[in-house]
Structure formats: C-alpha cells, structure tokens
C-alpha cells in the first residue's frame, strides 16, 4: 500500500509539472463545455431579416409586427423590388428575406392561395432551415389566432411536442457528448501517453525489474486518471446544471456509476493503445484517430446515427461512446432508470471486459 | 556450489524470429566479482542481460541469478538485484530527492531508511546543492552516477550495469569506476557491459562477445598473454578479425 501511494504521488507530480497535460486535464473540459454551450448552437436569436411587401395591407402589417416582436428576428430593412434581394444577401448581414405577393390579404381569405416566400441565405444551412421553421410557426400561430381562414370541415392538425427538450436547446444535446469526449480524452489518451512515456524514457524497464508486479505498475499509472476523470465528470455536470440549466432528471447516483463504468472502458482502451505504441507521439495519434474521431463522428454526439448510411450505423454499434451517450441522455434528459438502460450498460460492460482482457494479453506478450 | 557463484549461465540463447541475438552462451560469475561483459555494438550484451534480470524470456538454455532460476523465479531475482539500463532512466521531471524517494519506495525501503540513504548518497555524490533541482537539469555525468546509486539503493547482492559510462567524459568515467570498486569492496557482485576496451582492465574477469557468442573469457592479464597483445583493445581487434 505504501508503495502504491508513492507511485501515485509520483504520477501526480508528472501531471502537475507538465503544462500540456494540465491544460488537457483542466482547460479542455471547461473550454469545451463553454464552447458548445455558448458558441456552437442551433438556436437563433435576433436574426436580421429584410422584408419585401408587395401587398402592404393590414394582414401583412400584422404579420410583420408579429415577426418584429419575436425575440428571434429583427427587421433590418424593407425592400422595394425583387432586384434588391440578391445585393442584400451579398452584403451578408441579412439572413432571410420575406416576400409577400401582391394582394396577400385578399387572397388569404380564400384558403390555400396566399403566398409568402421565405428566401434564406443557405451558406449556413443550419441557420437557414431554423429560420424558415421559425417563420412558418409564427405564421401558423397568426392564422390560428385570427381564424381568418375558412376552415374546411375536416382538418388534420399536427401538433408537435418536443419531449425532453421542449425548447430544443442545443446544449442539452452537447452535454452528454462533451462529457463523453472529455472522459475519453483524459482516461484513454492521457493514460496511453503517460504509459508510453515510461517506455520511451526507459523507466518502464526499471519499474519492471523492480519487485513491483506489472499489474501494480499499470494500476499505479491508471489510478490518478480515474480520479481526475471523475473530477472532470463532476465539473461538467455541475457546469451544465448551474450555467446552462440542463436538468438531471434521473438519478445522479446511476449517472455516477455509469460514468465510472465508461471511465474504466476508456482506461482499458488507453492501456491497449499503450501496448501497441512505442512512442508518445504514436499513442497520441492512435488515440486521436482511433478514439476521438469515432467519438465525434460516429457516436451520435454531433451527427444523428439514424440518418447515417447503414454501414456507418453498423460501425457505430462498436463505438463504446455511442452506448455511453445513449445512457447519459437517458439519465439526464429522459430521467429513466436502470430498467431502461440495462441493455446499453451490459453492452458497455461487455466491451470493457473485452478490452481489459485484450490489453492484459498484449501486455504479457510484450514482456516475453 | 550455489553459494560461490552469483550467476551461472549455461547455453543461454535468444532468437528474434530467425535472428539469433544471443547464441548458447555459458559462463559463471563469482560472488563479489567485477565481471566485464564486453562486445561491440549489437553483439548481444543487452539482450543477454535482459534475460538475466528477468524481463526477457530466454528462447532456450539455463541460468540462475543469486541462486534463482530465470525461467521460474524471476520475481525472486528482482528482489535481489539492481539494474542500471543502457538508456539513462530516472525521471527528468522529478528532483534528485524525489527520484531517490520514489525508487526507495518501490523497493519497499522504510521512510527512515530512505531518508538516511538519500542523505548519505547526496553527500557522497556531492549533490547537496542540487538536491532540490530537477534531474533533467543535471549534466549527464552526474545523472549516470545518480542512476548507479539509485540502482544500489536497496543494497542488492548483484548489480547489472549496461554501458554505464556510455557518452560520459573520461574524468567522470574514472569516478564511476571508483564507485564500482567501492561497491565490489562492500561485497556486491557487479556485472558490467561496456564497449570501451580500456575499461576491461578494471574488471576481475572479462568475457568478449562477438555476434552473439562468447569468444573469450578470462582475466584481462591472461587474455593479453594468450593473444600476445599489449592492451585489451588489441585483444579485441585480434578476436574480431577472427
Ligand atoms: N526485440 C528485438 N527484436 C529483434 N531484434 C532485436 C531485439 N532486441 C535486440 N535485437 C537485435 O539483437 C542484436 C543484439 O542487440 P543488443 O543486445 O542490444 O546488443 P548490444 O547491447 O551488445 O549492443 C542487435 O542486432 C539487435 O538489433
Ligand atoms: Mg546494449
């Protein structure tokens, strides 16, 4: 036990004396969560619009007022002719132009006739599609309020309710993803780098010649990162609750247990990477390419898995991060318990055992 | 017999694929001896040493170190030996004292013993002024002497030194050999590899390895007589020419 604490103490000294690892450990999580929370967002706010009103009647005036009153848009300018539309977009400030056809108000009284055109700047497709959706919903609510439309006898009204994230806040989506990336980064990449550093320096050999057992060496290397990963997970959850108001609807205890499981998965991956890499550089590249890329691209963190081509969907099943993200979303946003997540948990646990077994085997072979 | 020899090696062999790095070597090292393990770069010295210290499995052959079998008792061997690798291997980002404390700790030395040892060691090496400096900032000669002292920290019966004076200036090399003598005087067995032939003169007995095989083994004096050479370097040249 005393040997172990000495080992862990030394490991912390390595970490705290290295600016780079300090930055990855403590700078990255905060920077990422802030970045995803504040900057990268699907929500729109005060998007500049231009209006080309060829009708200029009471109806269009009311609609324009309604749009101007919403917090999502601000009306930047009024245009007089179609020829002004292109130049306005070229200037770049205006993201969408609203075009009311002549006699809009009159035509509206006959159902299905009045046309309003939303022209958007699709150089930013996210903003463009969000803008047109928002405008459509403002128009819809205007119609419902005024009931000026002659309603047909039968009408199917689709009422969309966004469950679990009613305001479609993107930070809700990103928190589970960021948490996954950070835990991977700290647990897998940092451990693989720190183990290969010992190999590269030649100190691993000295450790293996000492009475310490190989398993003790690995545990000693890994322990500080377990601790730091848990700290990071706590920081991320606290930040998302108190800074971004993301709810934790399910059990915090379950979230903690699942996080620890995923930390162990990542550590096993980190050890595995260290057994196949001879240098810190290689370990870093393998971690980034082999772990980070799949986490970012294939885990459902940024791109929804259901809209991927089938081969990629199949590959995503073997990315451990995918299962962890499902679990975290389930607990934080849906508030479901273990009864709904046991399958994902089992898969993750199975993968973890597999990686531990594989790295133990590789580690032995290396010593021969 | 077991009590007289620190190391016995018989037909020890290591192959990497089809390449035989160590080819059926046999020798004995007596207790308290300074045994020089000589050979050019790539002769197989490090590979042979790694099999003896239990971090590389022999392909065939037998060996005992401190009375323990390298095939089956490597854990017991590890408790009884010290090792200084060919590559400088202390932690550059830890201070002199922290390195000593860490390595003392993994060998299970008590805190009190570590304190005594590091005080004595820092005094002996004249490192008082730099005890709190990071090891990375020390000149190579000091680092090597420190690494040797760290390998000796737990008073092992046998110490394996792999090219301990590689790249070190002549004055430091002399001081290093004085440390080796001192350790031998205290009863430690020293197994030293080198490719500096002049250092062979300091050893009680030397073996000369060429392409994985031991081609000569005797005291430096007998070897020079046998090969009718003035220096060990000449002995080596004659051997290498075949
Ligand atoms: N792990 C290995 N795999 C393949 N060849 C190796 C390995 N380790 C050493 N060798 C080869 O074995 C030979 C002896 O190497 P080594 O024992 O390091 O020589 P020395 O220490 O005498 O300079 C060299 O040709 C080296 O390339
Ligand atoms: Mg060598």
């Amino acid at each position: 036990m005393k040997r172990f604490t000495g080992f862990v103490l030394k490991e912390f000294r390595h970490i705290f004396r290295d600016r780079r690892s300090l930055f990855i450990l403590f700078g990255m999580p905060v920077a990422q969560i802030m970045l995803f929370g504040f900057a990268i967002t699907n929500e729109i706010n005060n998007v500049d619009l231009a209006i080309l009103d060829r009708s200029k009647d009471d109806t269009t005036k009311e609609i324009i007022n309604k749009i101007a009153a919403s917090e999502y848009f601000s009306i930047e300018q009024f245009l007089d002719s179609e020829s002004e539309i292109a130049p306005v977009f070229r200037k770049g400030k205006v993201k969408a132009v609203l075009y009311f056809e002549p006699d809009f108000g009159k035509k509206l009284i006959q159902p299905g006739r009045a046309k309003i055109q939303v022209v958007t700047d699709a150089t930013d497709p996210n903003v463009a599609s969000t803008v047109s959706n928002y405008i459509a919903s403002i128009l819809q609510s205007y119609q419902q309020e005024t009931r000026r439309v002659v309603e047909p006898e039968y009408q199917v009204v689709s009422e969309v309710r966004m469950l679990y994230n009613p305001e479609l806040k993107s930070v809700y989506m990103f928190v589970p993803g960021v948490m996954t990336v950070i835990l991977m980064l700290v647990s897998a990449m940092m451990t693989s780098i720190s183990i290969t550093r010992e190999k590269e320096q030649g100190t691993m050999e000295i450790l293996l010649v000492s009475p310490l057992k190989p398993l003790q060496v690995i545990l000693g290397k890994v322990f500080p990162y377990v601790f730091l990963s848990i700290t990071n997970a706590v920081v991320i959850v606290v930040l998302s609750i108190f800074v971004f108001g993301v709810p934790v609807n399910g059990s915090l205890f379950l979230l903690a247990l699942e996080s620890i499981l995923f930390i162990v998965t990542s550590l096993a991956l980190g050890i595995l990477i260290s057994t196949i890499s001879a240098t810190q550089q290689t370990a870093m590249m393998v971690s980034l390419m082999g772990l980070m890329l799949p986490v970012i691209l294939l885990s459902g963190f940024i791109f929804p898995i259901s809209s991927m081509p089938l081969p990629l969907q199949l590959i995503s099943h073997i990315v451990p991060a995918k299962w962890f993200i499902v679990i975290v979303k389930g607990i934080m946003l849906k508030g479901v318990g273990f009864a709904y997540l046991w399958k994902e948990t089992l898969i993750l646990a199975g993968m973890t055992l597999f990686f531990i077994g594989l790295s133990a085997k590789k580690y032995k072979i290396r010593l021969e | 017999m077991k009590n007289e020899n620190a190391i016995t090696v018989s037909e020890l062999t290591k192959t990497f694929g089809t390449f035989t790095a160590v080819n059926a070597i046999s020798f004995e090292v007596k207790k308290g001896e300074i045994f020089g393990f000589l050979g050019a770069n790539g002769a197989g010295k490090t590979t042979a040493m790694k099999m003896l210290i239990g971090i590389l499995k022999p392909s065939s052959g037998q060996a005992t170190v401190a009375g323990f079998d390298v095939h089956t008792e490597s854990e017991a061997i590890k408790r009884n030996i010290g090792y200084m690798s060919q590559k400088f291997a202390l932690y550059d980002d830890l201070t002199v004292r922290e390195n000593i404390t860490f390595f003392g700790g993994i060998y299970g030395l008590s805190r009190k013993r570590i304190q005594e040892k590091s005080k004595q060691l820092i005094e002996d090496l004249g490192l008082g002024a730099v005890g709190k400096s990071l090891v990375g900032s020390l000149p190579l000669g000091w680092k090597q002497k420190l690494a040797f002292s760290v390998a000796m920290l737990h008073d092992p019966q046998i110490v394996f030194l792999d090219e301990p004076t590689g790249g070190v200036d002549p004055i430091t090399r002399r001081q290093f050999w004085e440390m080796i003598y001192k350790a031998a005087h205290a009863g430690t067995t020293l197994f030293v590899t080198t490719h500096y032939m002049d250092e062979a003169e300091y050893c009680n007995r030397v073996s000369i390895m060429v392409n994985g095989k031991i081609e000569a083994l005797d005291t430096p004096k007998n070897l020079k007589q046998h090969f009718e050479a003035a220096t060990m370097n000449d002995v080596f040249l004659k051997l290498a020419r075949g």
Side-chain angles (χ1 to χ4, degrees), chain B residues 45-46 86 162-163:
Chain B
K45 305 181 296 291
T46 300
Q86 182 172 352
D162 198 356
E163 310 222 5

Side-chain angles (χ1 to χ4, degrees), chain A residues 2-3 6-11 13-15 17-18 197-214 221 366-368, chain B residues 14 50 53 55-57 75 78-79 81-95 98 102-103 105-111 134:
Chain A
K2 220 184 80 225
R3 284 181 201 185
F7 204 111
V8 170
L9 181 68
K10 155 204 161 261
E11 214 53 45
R13 286 202 171 111
H14 290 320
I15 295 167
R17 282 178 194 172
D18 179 23
R197 181 165 66 178
E198 301 255 5
K199 285 209 271 180
E200 211 176 326
Q201 289 174 335
T203 41
M204 185 54 96
E205 216 172 84
I206 308 290
L207 297 177
L208 293 177
V209 178
S210 82
L212 287 178
K213 301 224 163 42
K221 298 285 310 171
R366 204 183 64 78
L367 289 177
E368 301 285 294
Chain B
K14 181 72 195 183
K50 282 185 178 172
I53 61 177
I55 53 174
L56 198 63
K57 278 243 185 303
E75 294 308 314
K78 287 175 186 176
R79 277 194 298 275
I81 60 164
Y83 169 57
M84 180 179 161
S85 84
Q86 182 172 352
K87 200 165 162 183
F88 169 76
L90 295 180
Y91 294 101
D92 276 341
D93 57 345
L94 299 186
T95 67
E98 285 164 354
F102 172 71
F103 284 104
I106 64 172
Y107 276 95
L109 269 57
S110 70
R111 189 170 303 175
L134 297 185

Side-chain angles (χ1 to χ4, degrees), chain A residues 8-279:
Chain A
V8 170
L9 181 68
K10 155 204 161 261
E11 214 53 45
F12 275 114
R13 286 202 171 111
H14 290 320
I15 295 167
F16 286 109
R17 282 178 194 172
D18 179 23
R19 285 227 175 106
R20 199 182 49 173
S21 60
L22 272 184
F23 172 73
I24 294 181
L25 281 172
F26 300 106
M28 289 280 263
V30 176
Q32 282 217 23
I33 200 94
M34 290 297 172
L35 192 74
F36 281 112
F38 285 126
I40 304 178
T41 166
N42 283 331
E43 298 149 51
I44 55 169
N45 254 320
N46 285 323
V47 170
D48 289 310
L49 293 185
I51 306 236
L52 176 51
D53 185 357
R54 304 292 299 273
S55 180
K56 292 210 165 69
D57 52 41
D58 290 345
T59 316
T60 61
K61 213 172 273 161
E62 275 173 45
I63 293 177
I64 292 169
N65 283 342
K66 212 168 154 53
I67 289 174
S70 93
E71 58 180 301
Y72 306 120
F73 302 108
S74 64
I75 294 172
E76 172 70 17
Q77 67 184 105
F78 288 89
L79 309 178
D80 295 321
S81 73
E82 278 94 339
S83 63
E84 286 176 54
I85 294 179
V88 126
F89 277 124
R90 253 180 257 132
K91 272 196 222 146
K93 194 162 184 323
V94 166
K95 297 291 176 216
V97 173
L98 231 58
Y99 172 80
F100 295 93
E101 65 175 335
D103 299 324
F104 183 88
K106 260 184 245 158
K107 285 179 180 169
L108 192 63
I109 307 178
Q110 307 154 324
R113 284 279 179 78
K115 269 197 205 136
I116 178 169
Q117 218 176 51
V118 182
V119 187
T120 54
D121 173 357
T123 47
D124 190 340
N126 262 340
V127 173
S129 72
T130 318
V131 164
S132 55
N133 286 338
Y134 279 35
I135 290 178
S137 76
I138 290 177
L139 290 175
Q140 201 190 345
S141 77
Y142 170 77
Q143 288 184 3
Q144 280 170 0
E145 277 167 29
T146 55
R147 300 255 168 216
R148 240 181 267 178
V149 191
V150 181
E151 281 184 40
E153 272 179 64
Y154 304 103
Q155 193 181 23
V156 177
V157 180
S158 69
E159 189 180 300
V160 180
R161 276 185 62 211
M162 296 295 178
L163 284 181
Y164 311 125
N165 186 2
E167 292 167 71
L168 293 181
K169 286 201 174 162
S170 51
V171 68
Y172 283 27
M173 302 280 302
F174 287 129
V175 163
V178 168
M179 187 148 144
T180 312
V181 169
I182 297 292
L183 292 186
M184 268 271 168
L185 204 67
V186 172
S187 309
M189 187 164 104
M190 298 290 282
T191 8
S192 70
I193 291 178
S194 107
I195 294 175
T196 37
R197 181 165 66 178
E198 301 255 5
K199 285 209 271 180
E200 211 176 326
Q201 289 174 335
T203 41
M204 185 54 96
E205 216 172 84
I206 308 290
L207 297 177
L208 293 177
V209 178
S210 82
L212 287 178
K213 301 224 163 42
L215 184 67
Q216 290 175 309
V217 173
I218 291 299
L219 286 182
K221 298 285 310 171
V222 152
F223 179 79
Y225 293 100
V226 176
F227 175 78
L228 292 167
S229 301
I230 292 176
T231 314
N232 266 323
V234 171
V235 168
I236 293 171
V237 171
V238 166
L239 272 182
S240 28
I241 294 175
F242 292 104
V243 180
F244 299 107
V246 179
V248 180
N249 292 322
S251 140
L252 263 179
F253 180 67
L254 182 61
L255 185 62
L257 286 186
E258 298 278 6
S259 302
I260 289 172
L261 173 63
F262 185 64
I263 289 170
V264 175
T265 318
S266 311
L267 290 173
L269 279 169
I271 295 170
L272 191 62
I273 289 173
S274 73
T275 61
I276 56 172
S277 339
T279 66

